[in-house]
Amino acid sequence: MHALRKWLLSGLLVIVPLVITLGVLNWIIGTLDQTLWLLPEEWQSWLTEHRVRGLGVLFTLAILLVVGAIASNFVGKRLLGWGDAVVRRIPVVRSIYSSVKQVSDTLFSENGNAFRTAVLVQWPREGVWTIAFVTGTPGADVVEHLGGGDFLGVYVPTTPNPTGGYFVMLKRSDCIELKMSVDDALKYIVSMGVVVPGGPATLATPK
């Protein structure tokens, strides 16, 4: 029975990550294939008839490259600036668009500083520690209400889904900067402490 249980657990460790990875890839490909509706109906019918999958990935990449090339030149920048100004004048839409654009500019900009540093903080109470990510520094108005001092904006992710979490402002002295990379810190959080920094094969074992 001990050997059977060991084989079962070993099989799960191999199969579960593989199945989840394939499921995520299938969802991504299926989602990107929805962009094919931009093609002529005759092409869509042929692709559906022959069950061609994955072309949406290439089509989406082509769209991103074309839009990026246009946005990088002088004329494209002027057009994007004009379009941005128009969208920002539409009620309701402008508030949603502005918020999403600020987040995307921070996350995807080459000069952005979001999620560049992993830190150790006491959360949700003193004496309990968790890993968080520095997102920036509070504005002058916020710092004034905090009584002055050196504060950091910190994102505390939840486990095992790091897309949900809490944004808090802590004193810099209360944040311990870690040497581990952001990727290693995310693996540590998602695995609930099972996969420790140092490599995917390194597991946390009780002493």
Side-chain angles (χ1 to χ4, degrees):
M1 292 299 296
H2 178 72
L4 289 176
R5 184 172 59 184
K6 181 179 180 181
W7 294 343
L8 179 61
L9 291 176
S10 298
L12 287 174
L13 290 175
V14 173
I15 296 298
V16 171
L18 181 61
V19 170
I20 294 177
T21 301
L22 292 177
V24 172
L25 289 176
N26 181 66
W27 176 79
I28 292 175
I29 293 174
T31 301
L32 294 180
D33 278 345
Q34 301 301 315
T35 59
L36 296 177
W37 65 269
L38 296 172
L39 297 174
E41 292 186 4
E42 296 78 7
W43 294 16
Q44 295 182 44
S45 300
W46 186 89
L47 292 172
T48 303
E49 180 181 351
H50 292 79
R51 297 183 179 180
V52 179
R53 296 206 62 195
L55 188 60
V57 177
L58 299 177
F59 188 59
T60 302
L61 289 175
I63 293 176
L64 292 175
L65 289 173
V66 171
V67 172
I70 295 175
S72 298
N73 60 49
F74 177 76
V75 177
K77 290 180 179 179
R78 294 295 298 270
L79 290 175
L80 288 176
W82 177 80
D84 185 79
V86 171
V87 173
R88 291 180 184 275
R89 293 178 180 272
I90 304 176
V92 181
V93 175
R94 63 187 177 190
S95 59
I96 300 174
Y97 174 78
S98 298
S99 300
V100 173
K101 193 172 189 308
Q102 287 178 356
V103 172
S104 63
D105 288 346
T106 302
L107 293 178
F108 300 115
S109 172
E110 294 181 356
N111 298 323
N113 293 318
F115 295 91
R116 292 292 182 88
T117 306
V119 292
L120 197 63
V121 299
Q122 297 190 71
W123 176 270
R125 60 177 176 80
E126 186 177 353
V128 178
W129 296 84
T130 189
I131 294 177
F133 301 99
V134 176
T135 59
T137 55
D141 183 51
V142 175
V143 173
E144 182 179 350
H145 288 286
L146 292 174
D150 193 5
F151 283 83
L152 291 176
V154 175
Y155 175 70
V156 183
T158 55
T159 301
N161 179 16
T163 58
Y166 303 90
F167 170 71
V168 295
M169 285 166 280
L170 302 173
K171 290 184 178 180
R172 187 184 295 268
S173 58
D174 293 334
C175 302
I176 302 175
E177 184 173 345
L178 299 174
K179 294 182 179 179
M180 71 174 67
S181 66
V182 172
D183 288 339
D184 286 340
L186 282 173
K187 291 178 184 177
Y188 198 31
I189 293 169
V190 171
S191 68
M192 296 177 286
V194 175
V195 179
V196 299
T202 304
L203 301 179
T205 56
K207 297 182 179 179

